[in-house]
Amino acid sequence: NIRGAQQWHDEIGRALTRCDWFVLLLSEHAVKSRWVRREFRYALEAEQYDDRILPVLIEACDPFQLSWTLSATQHIDMTTSFEDGCRAILRTWGLGLDSARLQHPEKR
């Protein structure tokens, strides 16, 4: 909901303080991004994200190019199966996923 003339980096900072989880989408572009690095550094230092940083591999890349700290956190790999990746994310959050909804999202 960032509007014209608004300082988007300040809005991102405010949004980070309101979140319960930090989902880190890992791609070739993301591991090289200065802004992803800044947001991830914030998440590492913020107490609210203790044990709530979820790295998700969405494209083949070297996550350690972003940070050596990623070696200590279990990744979810969506590069081989989107459905399995979705299940793993929801399982992390204590939720389930009906495969029929994945195949036919209009049937809710």
Side-chain angles (χ1 to χ4, degrees):
N1 294 330
I2 299 173
R3 294 178 297 278
Q6 194 173 6
Q7 296 294 321
W8 58 267
H9 55 302
D10 291 337
E11 184 57 33
I12 290 170
R14 281 190 289 278
L16 286 169
T17 64
R18 295 189 305 263
C19 295
D20 295 326
W21 281 84
F22 186 86
V23 177
L24 180 62
L25 299 177
L26 296 166
S27 68
E28 193 63 40
H29 180 73
V31 299
K32 296 176 183 174
S33 168
R34 176 175 46 157
W35 286 101
V36 171
R37 185 177 310 277
R38 288 176 179 168
E39 292 171 21
F40 182 55
R41 192 173 339 156
Y42 173 86
L44 287 173
E45 295 174 4
E47 200 171 300
Q48 79 196 54
Y49 294 122
D50 284 351
D51 298 321
R52 290 179 170 259
I53 295 175
L54 184 58
V56 178
L57 191 64
I58 61 169
E59 178 183 286
C61 64
D62 179 10
F64 308 112
Q65 191 175 358
L66 177 64
S67 174
W68 61 271
T69 59
L70 287 168
S71 64
T73 305
Q74 179 66 35
H75 295 61
I76 292 177
D77 186 351
M78 295 189 84
T79 62
T80 56
S81 171
F82 180 78
E83 184 174 335
D84 290 346
C86 288
R87 287 183 194 287
I89 291 169
L90 292 174
R91 201 170 32 252
T92 299
W93 294 333
L95 303 170
L97 180 64
D98 179 351
S99 61
R101 286 192 178 165
L102 264 184
Q103 294 168 1
H104 306 284
E106 67 280 357
K107 293 181 181 179
R108 293 184 187 189

